[in-house]
Amino acid sequence: MKSIYQSKLFKQLIAAISVLIILAIGIPGAFTFFYITPNVVEERYHSVMINDVKFLSNRLDWLLAKSLGDVEYLSKKITLSDPSKLEEAAKTLDIFVSSSAIFTGGAVTDMNGIMQLFFSSSQGIIELKHKNDISHRDYIQYPLAKHESYLSDVIITESNPSPVIFVSSIVMEGSQASGVLALSINLWNENNIFHSLVNGFQEKKQGSIYVVDGRGTIVFHTDKKMVGHKIHPDILSQIAENKENMLVNLPRENGKLDIALGKLKKNNWVVVYEMDHEEIYSMSKIDRYMLLSTMVLVVILGFIASGIFARIILKPLEEITNATEQVAAGDFDQRINCKGHNDFQGVAHNFNIMTTNLRVQYDQLEKLSMQDYLTGLANRRYFEHQFQLELERACRLGHVSTLLILDIDDFKKINDKFGHLEGDKALKLLASTLKEQIREVDLPVRFGGEEFLILLPETSLEQGKVVAEKIRERVSQLKISTRKGNITFTISIGMVGLEQGTDFTCTALNCVGDELLKRADEALYQAKSMGKNRTEIWKSPNS
């Protein structure tokens, strides 16, 4: 760490970062403080107000449309022409309204507007001692006259100050109208979804949100005293002139009022969201003071931050430099565990990927250098290394080990008759057969051309002979189909065991290995000369 803090680059970074911090805070900060923040805050709140009234009006529209659909559906389930089914209709009305999150009551009349059934959410089905005539109600007259569903205006009476609307539909029995179904929605009922929707919205918002009808009468307000009052004429004129959601500014003696309006499509209702402009401006003041405090704090901490930032830059660079030097020296296992900035973590991650790939490629090259490209078996170079290790182990422990050398009989004829590509297939098939017939500890090798070796550790000559015969018999059963006919072939095997090494002319391991290979080759020659497709164990000339 001492070298980092004393470096010239560290001091230059400290100076440059400090100047940049002061410039970055001064000019943009002043512009933001005096211009951007007040305007952005106002624009943001205007956008929020428009989106809120748009959402709320769309949601109310959906609920009104659902109400109309529900009434139409229920009207088809009611039968009035048969007095015996009136009780069944009452039960249907009871179940439907009780389970509804919209409706709070209902009534069913005949074609003359005489009430046949009446339901209240608080009392259930009410037995009618006197069947009232409500034919004068618009929500009864309209369905009777038009045979269409109807959504009434808000009804507020002195006896019942709660704002109520009715949704009604003609009762059809087949093709014949038999009466009217009218369901009520009490907007002040706390269990009603209209009440929950608007109240829930208001609780999360500043300012005031309420609903008015087309005549400017407030039909829903969280302050119940406001229901039935008229809104400001200027707001009403804006509602009359515009058809879409909009934002208007209403001048007042003590400032300006920002109002967002959202019209419903199902009726003449309008969602009104009003907020005092001074309240919006006070929010920008808070943001500006917070900005000023932040500016001062950043300048104070600038020098400290520049030192930390310089260290964040230089420490990973030092780690990367050291790691690259190690890789250049041939250490592909180097890894960087960088905990600094994301960019440095990315560099470290890429470095680690690079060294991992280098290690994989190095291992692959090393493997290729010790593997026969055609058969996938070990090559002569790898065999010589492993053979020396096995000889050292077996001689040190006094254990047995056997070496097989095998050759495809008359392989040249296969190449001449079927071609070298088919000959290569024969070599590959032989290689895969060798791997199938031996243990994992055994080492099959392509020694050159059609000649193969198998090193059998911890295997006596007698055991090796069993393995060799199993391989020879399996190979004689192999067949390769070609356009020129089937290819079959046999192998001859020569074998020698370390237990036969009592008469070696030398004691050096490399010399012993060469002697064993020579003796195995002599045994192979003997097998070839005795008719091929056989296994022969090396025998001393003196035996």
Side-chain angles (χ1 to χ4, degrees):
M1 295 307 300
K2 184 178 179 181
S3 61
I4 293 177
Y5 289 124
Q6 291 181 348
S7 67
K8 183 178 180 180
L9 180 58
F10 177 79
K11 296 176 182 178
Q12 291 174 342
L13 280 173
I14 290 290
I17 294 172
S18 299
V19 172
L20 286 175
I21 288 175
I22 294 173
L23 292 176
I25 294 299
I27 298 174
F31 181 70
T32 302
F33 184 82
F34 292 106
Y35 179 76
I36 294 180
T37 300
N39 289 281
V40 167
V41 170
E42 183 176 357
E43 183 178 345
R44 182 181 64 193
Y45 273 93
H46 287 171
S47 177
V48 169
M49 291 171 69
I50 288 290
N51 289 335
D52 285 346
V53 297
K54 183 178 180 181
F55 172 83
L56 194 53
S57 60
N58 288 340
R59 189 64 179 169
L60 290 173
D61 255 332
W62 182 84
L63 289 173
L64 292 174
K66 185 179 186 306
S67 302
L68 289 168
D70 288 348
V71 170
E72 290 174 0
Y73 170 80
L74 183 59
S75 66
K76 298 175 183 178
K77 303 295 182 180
I78 293 175
T79 301
L80 298 177
S81 59
D82 186 353
S84 63
K85 293 186 178 181
L86 198 59
E87 185 177 349
E88 183 181 342
K91 290 180 180 180
T92 302
L93 180 63
D94 187 354
I95 294 172
F96 188 88
V97 178
S98 298
S99 61
S100 173
I102 299 176
F103 302 110
T104 54
V108 179
T109 73
D110 59 17
M111 292 298 291
N112 297 317
I114 306 301
M115 193 180 298
Q116 302 297 311
L117 294 173
F118 182 73
F119 175 85
S120 170
S121 58
S122 59
Q123 301 178 45
I125 293 292
I126 299 174
E127 184 178 353
L128 298 175
K129 296 180 180 180
H130 303 285
K131 296 184 177 181
N132 297 330
D133 183 357
I134 56 172
S135 60
H136 60 284
R137 298 290 188 182
D138 59 341
Y139 55 83
I140 300 297
Q141 292 177 353
Y142 188 91
L144 289 174
K146 302 291 187 178
H147 282 207
E148 294 178 1
S149 298
Y150 181 72
L151 183 64
S152 76
D153 290 334
V154 173
I155 300 173
I156 302 174
T157 63
E158 292 182 2
S159 60
N160 183 15
S162 300
V164 178
I165 62 173
F166 282 87
V167 186
S168 57
S169 178
I170 193 75
V171 176
M172 298 293 294
E173 297 180 28
S175 59
Q176 186 68 32
S178 60
V180 175
L181 167 66
L183 299 183
S184 64
I185 303 173
N186 186 339
L187 301 180
W188 276 359
N189 189 309
E190 294 183 357
N191 297 322
N192 182 273
I193 194 169
F194 285 88
H195 182 279
S196 302
L197 177 64
V198 181
N199 264 29
F201 225 76
Q202 177 68 80
E203 289 174 0
K204 300 175 183 178
K205 301 295 179 179
Q206 294 175 307
S208 181
I209 300 175
Y210 53 92
V211 180
V212 303
D213 62 17
R215 297 187 298 270
T217 302
I218 298 176
V219 298
F220 186 86
H221 200 291
T222 52
D223 183 359
K224 296 182 178 181
K225 296 179 180 179
M226 296 296 297
V227 174
H229 288 74
K230 294 288 186 177
I231 59 175
H232 195 282
D234 291 341
I235 301 178
L236 184 59
S237 65
Q238 291 291 337
I239 293 175
E241 292 175 5
N242 297 281
K243 296 182 179 180
E244 300 295 332
N245 300 323
M246 66 237 163
L247 183 88
V248 297
N249 302 118
L250 183 63
R252 298 188 307 177
E253 293 181 359
N254 56 346
K256 187 172 61 172
L257 189 67
D258 292 337
I259 301 173
L261 304 172
K263 291 189 173 184
L264 276 67
K265 298 176 182 177
K266 286 296 179 182
N267 59 7
N268 59 359
W269 287 5
V270 179
V271 177
V272 181
Y273 185 178
E274 63 179 39
M275 185 181 296
D276 195 310
H277 188 78
E278 191 62 30
E279 189 175 356
I280 296 176
Y281 188 72
S282 65
M283 297 174 193
S284 72
K285 281 184 179 179
I286 295 173
D287 289 345
R288 291 166 71 185
Y289 291 141
M290 290 178 62
L291 175 63
L292 180 61
S293 301
T294 303
M295 289 167 56
V296 174
L297 182 63
V298 170
V299 171
I300 293 174
L301 298 177
F303 290 99
I304 299 174
S306 62
I308 297 173
F309 187 65
R311 180 186 178 280
I312 290 174
I313 293 176
L314 294 181
K315 181 60 178 177
L317 285 177
E318 187 179 46
E319 293 179 6
I320 293 171
T321 300
N322 293 336
T324 53
E325 290 175 354
Q326 294 298 320
V327 172
D331 183 5
F332 298 130
D333 294 322
Q334 279 292 317
R335 298 292 183 271
I336 300 175
N337 184 19
C338 181
K339 297 181 180 179
H341 191 271
N342 290 340
D343 291 337
F344 286 114
Q345 290 182 12
V347 172
H349 178 68
N350 292 335
F351 176 88
N352 293 338
I353 292 176
M354 178 189 72
T355 53
T356 301
N357 291 338
L358 286 174
R359 167 55 66 188
V360 171
Q361 292 171 5
Y362 179 83
D363 293 342
Q364 289 176 343
L365 288 173
E366 188 175 33
K367 183 179 179 181
L368 288 173
S369 68
M370 296 187 178
Q371 186 181 63
D372 177 59
Y373 74 95
L374 178 64
T375 62
L377 299 180
N379 60 15
R380 183 167 184 168
R381 177 184 175 188
Y382 183 73
F383 167 77
E384 290 174 349
H385 175 71
Q386 293 299 117
F387 193 32
Q388 289 300 313
L389 294 177
E390 173 59 19
L391 288 176
E392 188 276 333
R393 185 196 67 81
C395 292
R396 174 167 48 82
L397 299 175
H399 290 188
V400 294
S401 188
T402 298
L403 178 67
L404 307 182
I405 182 168
L406 55 94
D407 184 87
I408 299 179
D409 298 327
D410 301 318
F411 184 68
K412 185 176 183 301
K413 293 181 180 179
I414 295 176
N415 282 337
D416 293 343
K417 181 177 179 181
F418 296 96
H420 288 279
L421 291 178
E422 301 299 336
D424 288 346
K425 290 181 181 180
L427 294 173
K428 292 179 182 178
L429 182 58
L430 175 58
S432 63
T433 303
L434 295 181
K435 288 189 285 187
E436 291 172 359
Q437 300 298 317
I438 61 177
R439 304 169 299 177
E440 288 188 7
V441 297
D442 301 332
L443 177 64
V445 181
R446 186 185 180 194
F447 202 59
E450 67 270 25
E451 197 170 58
F452 294 79
L453 295 175
I454 302 177
L455 180 59
L456 304 172
E458 300 292 339
T459 304
S460 65
L461 275 173
E462 183 180 354
Q463 294 169 330
K465 180 68 178 292
V466 173
V467 174
E469 282 299 302
K470 183 175 69 170
I471 292 173
R472 186 186 62 77
E473 290 178 5
R474 178 72 184 101
V475 170
S476 66
Q477 299 170 1
L478 299 177
K479 182 173 66 174
I480 302 174
S481 299
T482 72
R483 289 181 296 178
K484 296 182 180 180
N486 294 329
I487 299 175
T488 58
F489 57 91
T490 60
I491 58 173
S492 298
I493 304 175
M495 55 185 295
V496 64
L498 194 58
E499 57 201 85
Q500 295 176 296
T502 57
D503 59 343
F504 285 147
T505 58
C506 58
T507 57
L509 286 179
N510 59 342
C511 181
V512 170
D514 291 342
E515 187 70 21
L516 285 172
L517 282 170
K518 179 180 177 182
R519 291 180 179 183
D521 197 54
E522 289 175 359
L524 174 63
Y525 180 77
Q526 188 177 6
K528 292 281 189 182
S529 62
M530 295 179 68
K532 305 176 183 178
N533 190 24
R534 60 187 294 119
T535 301
E536 290 294 328
I537 302 175
W538 179 83
K539 297 176 182 178
S540 173
N542 300 323
S543 61

